[in-house]
Amino acid sequence: MEVLCIGALGRWTCAALSVAGLALPPAGPALAGAWTRTAGEGLAIVTAARRVAPITSLAGGPIDADANVTQVYVEYGLVEGLTAGAKLYVELSASDLETSSASLGGFLRKRIWQDGHGGVASVQGGYAHPVESVIGQGLELADPGAAPEAHFAGLYGRGWEGNWGNAFVSTGAGYHWRSEGLADEIRGEITGGYAPSRRWMGIVSLYGLYPLAAGTDVSLKIAPSIAYSFASDAESDTDDDTEARHARKVQLGISYDLLNGGDGLGVSLSVWQPF
């Protein structure tokens, strides 16, 4: 594992920071965490999510707007300190097809600093392109706001471990260039997590989006979640605990825009599979 990915803390942070907030469109995974993956190891995450507005429609009330999200995310350690990743994102609305979208993108994350005591900093660049026409018929009227975009971000994270459990915090900010005359965006994230044991972890994320044009909405989403690992409860005497590092994990979370409550409430379920 990486120098900073020690014990249970590393097993959780290196995975959790890659998935926190994956199902939170549109400000949703602005960043993927500062940690890079070990060379030759990867992580695949499949997420299904649903967002409805108003919130009361979750209990069977009338729906003003909805979104059904499917996302497949993969990242892989190319060499020491360099991680590559790809993401397929599909959002479909039963109430308004013009809000549906699909995109395929990739990124590179390069670690530029670490202190050997839980701190790490990285830079990340990536590109995403709309693929509605490739997905299939029925998306011809998809979201006209979907356009090619590129991003560059700076990331910082720190982790702690002790007899009380393990914890981490990750922050970052990125500039998103959007083509076709759409407003560029500044996106930021802060995510914190606490694992009282190697099976359970609680995660809370804040995702901010600031469009660089008048007349567009600023967004600030909060996303609490809980994750469970199928790893054995047995402790390892070494950092190279293959069974724990490759254990499947599930994450259940919700998301809510603190500035735009009319967007409704999102519920997501993710399955992580390291390889």
Side-chain angles (χ1 to χ4, degrees), residues 212-237:
L212 300 178
T216 52
D217 292 334
V218 176
S219 174
L220 179 62
K221 291 189 177 184
I222 184 169
S225 63
I226 188 168
Y228 177 81
S229 172
F230 291 93
S232 168
D233 286 328
E235 294 291 340
S236 172
D237 293 331

Side-chain angles (χ1 to χ4, degrees), residues 108-120:
L108 285 174
R109 186 187 315 132
K110 172 62 178 175
R111 189 180 68 234
I112 58 174
W113 172 84
Q114 64 181 14
D115 64 5
H117 300 287
V120 61

Side-chain angles (χ1 to χ4, degrees), residues 91-92 96-102 132 138-146:
E91 178 179 330
L92 300 175
D96 184 2
L97 186 59
E98 291 190 1
T99 64
S100 300
S101 63
E132 289 88 352
L139 287 177
E140 292 85 354
L141 299 177
D143 187 359

Side-chain angles (χ1 to χ4, degrees), residues 18 99-100 128 147 162 187 260 269 274:
S18 299
T99 64
S100 300
R187 300 186 189 182
N260 302 292
L269 175 66

Side-chain angles (χ1 to χ4, degrees), residues 51-57 61-67 93-96 99 262-263:
R51 186 181 73 250
V52 295
I55 294 177
T56 54
S57 60
I63 297 176
D64 294 334
D66 75 309
S93 172
S95 59
D96 184 2
T99 64
D263 284 347

Side-chain angles (χ1 to χ4, degrees), residues 152-175:
F152 181 81
L155 316 169
Y156 171 80
R158 180 167 290 275
W160 302 267
E161 67 174 351
N163 295 331
W164 45 266
N166 306 284
F168 73 86
V169 64
S170 178
T171 64
Y175 184 91

